Amino acid sequence: MATALETVEAYTGHEYKYGFYTDIETDTAPPGLDEDIVRFISAKKNEPEWLTEWRLQALRRFRDMEQPEWQKPEVGEIDLQAISYYSAPTQKEAPKSLDDIDPEIRRTYEKLGIPIEEQKMLAGVAVDYVFDSVSVATTFKAKLKELGIIFCSMSEAVHDHPELVRKYLGSVVPQGDNYFAALNSAVFSDGSFVYVPKGVRCPMELSTYFRINAAGTGQFERTLIIADEGSYVSYLEGCTAPQRDEHQLHAAVVELIALDDAEIKYSTVQNWYPGDHEGKGGVYNFVTKRGLCRGKRSKISWTQVETGSAITWKYPSCVLQGDDSIGEFYSVAVTNHKQQADTGTKMIHIGKNTRSRIVSKGISAGRADQTYRGLVRVLKGAEGARNYTQCDSMLIGDKCGAHTVPYIEVKNPSAKVEHEATTSKISDDQLFYCRARGISEEDAVALVVNGFCREVMDELPMEFAVEARKLLAISLEGSVG
Amino acid sequence: MTTTAIRRLEPASGYALLFDRLKGGLAGSGAARASSFKRFAELGFPTTRTEAWKYTNLKPLAEVAPSAPVPAEVSLADLDGYLLTGDVRRLVFVNGHLAPDLSDIARLPSGLRVKTLLECVEAEASLLADVDADRALTALNAAFAQGGAVIEVEAGVTIDPVIQLIFVDAGDDAAMLTNVRNRVSLAAGARLRMAETHLVLGTGSITNVVNHFNVADEAELLSDKVQIGTKASRAFGQSVIQVGKNAKFGQTTIGVGGALVRNESLAKLEGPHGDLDLNGTYVPEGGEQVDTVIRVEHLAPNCESNQFYKGVLLSGGHGVFAGKIFVDQVAQKTNAYQQNDNLMLSRDAEIDTKPELEIYADDVKCSHGATVGELDETGLFYLRSRGIDRQTAEAILTFAFAGEVVERLHHEDSQHQARRALLGRLRGGDKLMELV
Amino acid sequence: MLKITNLHARIEDEPEGEILKGLDLQVNPGEVHAIMGPNGSGKSTLAYILSGRDGYEVTEGSVSFEGDDLLEMEPEERAAAGVFLAFQYPIEIPGVANMYFLRTALNAIKKTRGEPEVDAATFMKMLRQHAEVVGVRSDLLKRDVNAGFSGGEKKRNEILQMAILQPKLAILDETDSGLDIDALRTVADGVNQLRSPDRGIVVITHYQRLLDYIVPDHVHVLVGGKIVRSGDKSLALELEEKGYGEALAAAGVASPEPALNA
């Protein structure tokens, strides 16, 4: 197991390890947003008529909306006409097998440490590779197919499983849910699609690796995961982008649906390019993630480790509709330099005896600003609802900020809701103790921070917990001394 | 853009009509009054799209045609049960105007000055200055306020008598708008205890209070606040509190009754080692809504602040708590706590609570907690196993829950008033009256 | 190996209060030195200065460790060089498992020294062995560093760390405080096991009690920031009997200075 120590040493001198750019030929749409571009995307993907219409309807809704401004991070008006809404590696034909993939793309993923070869992959993880707007590869497809599990790109699902896509797309996050979700609904490019049939326990982690490559593009992927009755799936997404001076927009939508007795575990290790130390460049990460516990005794669990992006607005939520359903949210967010993050969750208790648990650990360093924003809503019919929220912030240095904004709305007297929050710093005593045992100051910070976050890290699938720990250490480089 | 439209409720024409009618008789600078009213009209009332008013709909207030305060007959007997006993000086305002017969500020100890706003406003225009420029109700208050007290304590003086300010709204016009503004200033090292009593005796009214407390270095001000409303009354209050070096401000608020009651506090700890203590309890029922909105700003190092609020939500009651701790970058070694506990006793009650932290200093201890729950069944069972009927057992436990706040009122009579008012609300509470 | 010459030091923000006022001490390999003194004499200050804690300022004098200027080194460099301080009040680090902490420390030190790191299996074996000797229960190895440990457990944990890190110079700051007689014995056994011809040990204590179990070669009396008397183990017994009064008087100090770093 790699220690925080090795990690920091391994990356000394690297600011953002994933900041390279892959020079390949791409099909890129001209910048701008109108009906024609939506039709262009839909036509490029050879979509059925109903989906083109669905996109156009979303675009019309979007036009009636305004860029939100209630969040803590301040961001100017984003010029959506300056962005290109479609960029894909040029390909004569779709690759028939993993061997047909453009060698440049293959090299990109190798450099990112996730080679597109099943034998080289982490054991027991199937990966969907999304490059700019399109999915370029999916591993272990055949093996999963034997179990009836569908794991493919959204574009493929539209063609191969239209009935499922049509039934569930937009059923959790409607087209007009919010400004960026509406934009995504109109122009979404690709993403992952997962369907786990009744009673099947998915034997491996499913994973998507998102990479923004082309300049001046946005990434608008759409992910849809359906866990049918009594099934289980664990899914992980990872993300990186090249280092660029201008901001890049990432506005994804993720919809999860868990039917009776089903469980979905969704983990994110987000490491989009955060911009430089002065706040130049970096990804705007404005995503809508929502899970619907539609069935009885269903469970949706979000775990996120957020270290990247210039600005993050993200509230992975659970709608607890089925009786006895469970929603969980475990989050570690690290902001350093001039990063800003406004993140948290919403737990909407509708069914009886629904339970939710929120554990949020925020670490702010440098001149960064971070907000936990959470909502726990218990509706009238949610007899016996329970929520427990623990929200801890840690500040490193006196130029950063930490904010906690929980909303608790209760309309049922049998509900029990508890919220606790603390703010603290790494004590000098702890650092000295570690150093007196031979651990350098920077490693000592990483060690104490990892301890502070352990409750959340323990929720991550094993393979990614190690990577996540490294990320924490790297994100905090230069935050002391 | 439409953003402003959805964040602003146009006040009904009645507000302007009322101002035109009354402006000739308002004390102080006519120009200042007019400019305050203009400011109010421009701001308009906030909508639920404004974060601070997310859970509170002011549409009914915006649509009202407010009427002018009228003289009313109120006797000391009407105030029975609300007059503090012992060494007390008091000012009573009825419908926003001083009632000299009910007031008693003779024999003031030296070092204490107690005047009415009316007496002072000509000479001191700053009394009506905007303490919060963006708040429409504060501008409205600045335009109309005639009633209220100006209290000053000289440096180093400890005042023995308790100063009680009683504000009575009487009459059967629920659209009557009274505006009251108080200013309490303690010079360095001064000490004062006071009580604010707000009583609605008639059908109801719209009360709009603005308080400014200035507690200079080493000074200490303790204040009890008891608010008694009716099913139709609406009460809005804003307190701006400034606390100096080594100074202390403590206030406990007990509110019972009122269709809509909103208490806003903006407290600033401006000097090192300041101490702030804000407590309160609310017990809304039957369509009532009580809002508690607090912003505590730590602007200097080594200060301590505590917020302790408890809500009892009865049938049809709606409680809102929004408390914020703000810690400035310079405010190292801050200790700030906030607790909001709510007891939900009915299926058709609602509580919205938002305990918030905004922190820019790293060497601080800040924590907050919020809970929502019902009465503890084990506790109920224990009482019942000792022969107490369920209703009484519920009343006892509820009373005990709120009692932790009541205990923080500094004057024994205030505690007594609060206990009676609380028990009057609880089913089975009458049986416990003899206990208080 | 350790040579302290005319050491003067004070707490950084308190220019008036000089705590060490010309301290001299030499520790050679294989020796066990006991530094005894009343509260406020500067015992803990000495321990912290040797290990490099922030907040103290050396105004005069020097400290060399194996020929290098110890005061110029960062705390972690001192640890790598072989200086170990057993804390009087060990620090809690929530969320970090005790054994993970120890392995991180060990490998950090090894890496600095250019030695190969210890793999997980070897480390576990080593850890279990030592833990048994110093009486640290195996569940404490998995728990967070010092979090929720009793006073005795914390002190044993310090000795365990010492056993694993194998320092050249170990400084034990009031390791006996808060220990019952059984724990005292176990801790002392742990320390005695580490006695070796190439290791120096400095035991800082208020009472003679610990020295019944860790028998020192040299005893020094620290009063008013200076060593006022030195002798063999019999000096400790003498102090036990007569108290510090005589030593204080000899130093021209009427009563102990207030405890500055209790």
Side-chain angles (χ1 to χ4, degrees), chain A residues 23 43 95 115 178 209 259 280 293 372 390 395 397 401 423 432:
Chain A
D23 190 12
N178 67 65
Y209 201 91
L259 302 182
K280 196 171 184 194
C293 280
Y372 165 82
Q390 172 73 43
L395 289 109
T423 298
F432 174 63

Side-chain angles (χ1 to χ4, degrees), chain B residues 33-301:
Chain B
R33 295 282 192 180
S35 124
S36 292
F37 188 80
K38 185 163 168 264
R39 177 95 189 118
F40 159 73
E42 279 166 7
L43 286 167
F45 288 106
T47 71
T48 51
R49 293 293 293 269
T50 310
E51 184 59 29
W53 295 82
K54 187 173 159 70
Y55 300 107
T56 310
N57 184 6
L58 285 186
K59 206 154 177 262
L61 182 70
E63 286 170 353
V64 100
S67 50
V70 290
E73 283 296 315
V74 171
S75 69
L76 273 182
D78 295 323
L79 306 180
D80 190 29
Y82 294 103
L83 300 172
L84 297 187
T85 58
D87 192 3
V88 175
R89 305 289 182 280
R90 71 173 170 262
L91 280 178
V92 181
F93 296 84
V94 175
N95 293 352
H97 294 282
L98 181 73
D101 298 349
L102 306 176
S103 302
D104 168 23
I105 51 167
R107 300 167 289 109
L108 284 182
S110 71
L112 172 66
R113 189 172 87 126
V114 179
K115 301 257 179 183
T116 64
L117 179 78
L118 211 53
E119 285 175 274
C120 307
V121 73
E122 294 289 350
E124 246 189 294
S126 69
L127 279 169
L128 290 175
D130 273 342
V131 282
D132 184 347
D134 295 327
R135 189 172 175 272
L137 282 159
T138 304
L140 180 70
N141 176 285
F144 284 105
Q146 297 267 67
V150 178
I151 300 173
E152 281 161 18
V153 185
E154 286 176 15
V157 179
T158 296
I159 303 299
D160 288 328
V162 176
I163 306 298
Q164 186 179 22
L165 304 177
I166 304 183
F167 303 94
V168 186
D169 280 2
D172 43 15
D173 178 5
M176 178 179 72
L177 174 66
T178 58
N179 286 280
V180 166
R181 183 170 289 223
N182 301 301
R183 191 176 74 188
V184 183
S185 318
L186 271 63
R191 279 160 185 265
L192 178 73
R193 289 180 303 149
M194 59 177 290
E196 254 184 83
T197 312
H198 297 265
L199 277 179
V200 183
L201 292 178
T203 329
S205 63
I206 302 165
T207 313
N208 183 23
V209 181
V210 173
N211 289 327
H212 185 189
F213 297 102
N214 195 342
V215 189
D217 296 354
E218 322 282 337
E220 177 182 295
L221 175 57
L222 297 180
S223 168
D224 289 350
K225 185 167 168 183
V226 175
Q227 287 176 294
I228 309 291
T230 67
K231 282 273 172 274
S233 65
R234 281 176 277 206
F236 302 92
Q238 185 189 34
S239 293
V240 176
I241 302 153
Q242 288 169 275
V243 183
K245 186 177 84 186
N246 278 316
K248 179 181 169 81
F249 178 84
Q251 185 174 53
T252 303
T253 303
I254 308 287
V256 175
L260 177 58
V261 177
R262 183 174 170 102
N263 289 313
E264 297 179 41
S265 302
L266 169 59
K268 301 173 186 215
L269 289 154
E270 296 175 335
H273 296 282
D275 185 349
L276 176 82
D277 209 1
L278 297 174
N279 313 296
T281 186
Y282 42 90
V283 215
E285 69 171 7
E288 294 172 349
Q289 177 174 346
V290 183
D291 293 7
T292 304
V293 181
I294 296 170
R295 181 181 167 94
V296 173
E297 295 183 353
H298 282 260
L299 305 173

Side-chain angles (χ1 to χ4, degrees), chain A residues 1-6 9-10 427-443 446-455 469, chain C residues 48 51-53 74-76 79 83-87 90-97 100-101 104-105 107-109 111 117 144-146 158 161 165:
Chain A
M1 191 170 64
T3 62
L5 279 175
E6 294 162 359
E9 276 150 22
S427 80
D428 293 340
D429 283 345
Q430 286 175 333
L431 289 187
F432 174 63
Y433 190 64
C434 292
R435 294 177 71 193
R437 294 294 173 261
I439 301 167
S440 75
E441 188 166 20
E442 207 152 55
D443 295 347
L447 191 76
V448 174
V449 167
N450 266 308
F452 172 74
C453 302
R454 191 163 91 181
E455 229 178 320
R469 270 194 211 106
Chain C
Y48 285 141
S51 54
R53 187 181 174 127
E74 293 294 322
E76 57 268 34
V83 177
F84 179 92
L85 170 67
F87 282 56
I91 309 298
E92 301 184 0
I93 311 177
V96 178
Y100 178 75
F101 172 72
T104 306
N107 281 340
I109 289 175
K111 197 162 181 180
E117 296 187 9
D144 297 350
V145 180
N146 293 322
E158 293 291 289
Q161 293 182 9
L165 301 180

